[in-house]
Amino acid sequence: MSFQTAAEVSPTPLPPVHFPLSLTPAHDAIRKPGGAAAVAAEQAGVDSVSSEPSAAQLQAAQHDVQAARLKLGGDSPFNADTSSTLTAAASAHTADEAAFNQRKSAGSGSWTRLTFKPDLARFKVKSFEKDFVALLTRRVYDIAACVGEEGISVTLNGQVVPVHSFQEYVALYPSASNVVHGRINSNWQVAVGAVSSETSDSSSGPPRVAFINSINTTRGGTHVKCIEDQITRHVAEHVNKLHKDLNVLPLHVRPHLALFINGLVQNPSFDSQTKDTLITPVEDFGSSCDLRAEFLKTVIRDTGIVESVVEWATSRQRSELIKQSRPARGSGKRLMIPKLDDANDAGGPNSAECTLILTEGDSAKALAVAGLSVIGRDK
């Protein structure tokens, strides 16, 4: 795959990286004294929170905490500690908009900034290799794709990354053609296209890019299977209605499908610390990822997947027919076709000299066979 970068990144030691991210009220609920209940009380105009909050306060607090969990990337207690041991310098700063206003200090907004400088000596290198810099660049583009629509600007080497939405990110993949986009709900975005035969890499399989809470699940998981199954099943059913003799299965549709997902899952679980595969059951996602009928119709009509599958299935059917009608080399067997009378030299070294006689009806065939008794049946 190829990525269009805003600036060329040279394989030299990187300066500290800054990610100013706006905090939502749900984040405030986690770090404020008193937790989510304090936030609910503050929004309701209550000066202090009693030891027995009201039902409304509890409901508001629960809503805030659930919203915060949708922003988290699972339980990974070792990540921060491990990262800090591999850096030459690290710091974290956070700011609260309410605190700014109370102190009448300079600045505005709630934000968090994490700064780190990798310890190159620990890795026994003087600079990053080109491939590693490309990996970091790819990750910056991933972040821009997930947060761009929230109004967050992502920069790389001082320049704004030219990706401000998930749709713009998907456009960077040349292996997907005729892509259609759909938003299932506030937590799920899906883009579907046909695999471009001219630019796709058959060794890596069809494009599958899926983010869960801004984490790139490179090996997919329950979210990919859930959405992929809906599309492949619908396409297979549509093809079989149009061409009853092709017998297309959902697994036959998969190689022709380019799929991109951006979703939020409550308390996601992964198969390992690398978070390559989501293992959270679909029923525990916290929201539905069922595709709408209108979107599936758009996939059928506009992506070209149906045409690609039909072309492949027809070619497969033709190949199977040729294979069945061709005797195995060296087997000495001839085709068993009803009412066929082979010449003696048919299928042998002199078969090119044989004559093909076609007749209409059994009586005409009997007349031709009678003539062969005169000229011979060799050719």
Side-chain angles (χ1 to χ4, degrees), residues 14 95 210 340 367:
L14 292 180
L340 170 66
L367 180 61

Side-chain angles (χ1 to χ4, degrees), residues 180 192 231 234-239 242 294-307:
V180 296
V192 179
I231 299 173
H234 187 77
V235 172
E237 292 175 354
H238 182 80
V239 171
L242 297 178
E294 293 78 6
F295 179 73
L296 292 174
K297 291 180 181 178
T298 303
V299 171
I300 294 294
R301 184 183 66 246
D302 298 339
T303 61
I305 295 177
V306 171
E307 291 76 7

Side-chain angles (χ1 to χ4, degrees), residues 49-123:
V49 181
S50 63
S51 58
E52 297 181 358
S54 66
Q57 291 173 343
L58 289 175
Q59 185 176 4
Q62 183 180 9
H63 177 271
D64 288 338
V65 171
Q66 288 177 349
R69 287 173 177 170
L70 285 174
K71 303 291 184 180
L72 300 178
D75 299 327
S76 299
F78 304 108
N79 285 355
D81 293 339
T82 304
S83 300
S84 62
T85 61
L86 302 178
T87 60
S91 63
H93 298 81
T94 187
D96 190 306
E97 183 176 12
F100 274 128
N101 294 335
Q102 291 175 4
R103 295 195 304 267
K104 298 182 180 180
S105 303
S108 62
S110 298
W111 52 267
T112 295
R113 181 175 66 204
L114 305 178
T115 304
F116 67 92
K117 184 177 181 180
D119 188 356
L120 298 181
R122 181 180 290 272
F123 295 101

